[in-house]
Amino acid sequence: SVAYAQIRFRKEQQHANTTYTDSNNTVTGTWTFNVSTLTITSPGTLATVTGNFAFGGSGQKIDVRIFGAIADGGITDNASAFTAAIAAAGAGDTIVAPAGNNFYGFTSGFTINKANLTLEGYGDRTMLVNMNQSATSLITISSVQGVRLKNFSMAGHASSGHGIYVTGGSHRGYLENVFCRNVGGDCFNSDNGFGWTFIEPRFSASIYAAGVIGPFPYAGASATADYGIRTTTGANAGTQTILGPLIEG
């Protein structure tokens, strides 16, 4: 049944297996799981089950490596893997990016478009690097509320876009212990997302510009400067709460 296939798929995604032979639930044969396309092929005469299966929406953790993400220092473009993990997640789930031997490279960015989703790393050893040189942002949060970003670091090319770009009314998000080493644009830029809470955001000392105190802009600062946290003036930019920002070398 479809329900049985989904249950088995959820178990298999924990171990990234591609086949499973089972004799339970009156089904005997080999189930094939394609974790990239979220396709399940059942044994015997049962139909192939395809589609974007949510992993339950009950706080489950989904490892991006299951979808092909590799922290190999930029050899792999990890945008599609992170996008697939987000597509597979349900409300309340956590997308986990474990630490690797090197950074996770991205030649294009990815979008978080599901409410109440968490993206979490293993601290500074989980590093996301934007290698795009066409002003593309690394992470875009679009038209969703309650997104949580925790425990990772990010960097980018001098011609990259923002580290995190919030748009489309993505209000009441949460960011904790995210280290921005350097990006082409702002570390965090919101043009339509109020009520964000920042707990100990961390910035490299290299993030500076004329008219900026630390990573933060003040009145009269250049509009072209790269900021740590920037809320664009205009509709729904709103207010943010920032606790304990740190400047590091």
Side-chain angles (χ1 to χ4, degrees):
S1 67
V2 172
Y4 178 70
Q6 288 179 295
I7 292 171
R8 180 56 63 191
F9 184 78
R10 290 174 195 156
K11 289 185 177 181
E12 287 306 298
Q13 65 91 18
Q14 299 293 334
H15 305 287
N17 295 332
T18 56
T19 61
Y20 185 85
T21 301
D22 193 16
S23 59
N24 297 323
N25 201 33
T26 69
V27 176
T28 302
T30 299
W31 294 74
T32 301
F33 304 85
N34 186 320
V35 294
S36 296
T37 61
L38 298 182
T39 300
I40 303 171
T41 303
S42 60
T45 59
L46 296 179
T48 296
V49 183
T50 60
N52 291 329
F53 297 102
F55 284 91
S58 57
Q60 297 189 63
K61 292 189 175 182
I62 302 173
D63 191 324
V64 293
R65 296 174 300 180
I66 293 167
F67 298 89
I70 306 175
D72 56 11
I75 298 173
T76 300
D77 178 10
N78 289 285
S80 60
F82 275 64
T83 298
I86 292 167
D93 284 349
T94 297
I95 306 299
V96 179
N101 294 326
N102 212 313
F103 63 81
Y104 292 93
F106 297 83
T107 56
S108 59
F110 63 94
T111 298
I112 297 176
N113 54 9
K114 288 189 175 180
N116 302 316
L117 199 67
T118 298
L119 173 63
E120 184 170 7
Y122 282 29
D124 289 352
R125 291 186 61 210
T126 296
M127 187 171 185
L128 314 183
V129 176
N130 188 355
M131 300 184 297
N132 182 278
Q133 299 183 32
S134 301
T136 297
S137 295
L138 176 61
I139 303 171
T140 297
I141 302 172
S142 178
S143 304
V144 290
Q145 298 190 28
V147 170
R148 299 170 68 88
L149 307 171
K150 299 174 62 178
N151 302 329
F152 62 88
S153 62
M154 58 184 179
H157 189 274
S159 300
S160 300
H162 305 306
I164 300 165
Y165 176 62
V166 175
T167 188
S170 297
H171 309 311
R172 303 178 184 89
Y174 178 90
L175 182 147
E176 180 180 359
N177 190 34
V178 173
F179 183 22
C180 180
R181 296 179 183 275
N182 202 352
V183 292
D186 305 326
C187 289
F188 180 96
N189 180 289
S190 174
D191 74 352
N192 195 334
F194 61 76
W196 275 74
T197 298
F198 300 85
I199 305 297
E200 293 190 350
R202 299 159 55 222
F203 307 95
S204 168
S206 64
I207 299 173
Y208 66 92
V212 177
I213 300 177
F216 302 103
Y218 64 91
S222 170
T224 60
D226 294 339
Y227 303 128
I229 298 174
R230 185 184 186 195
T231 299
T232 304
T233 58
N236 283 331
T239 59
Q240 321 293 355
T241 300
I242 305 172
L243 303 175
L246 301 173
I247 308 298
E248 301 184 8

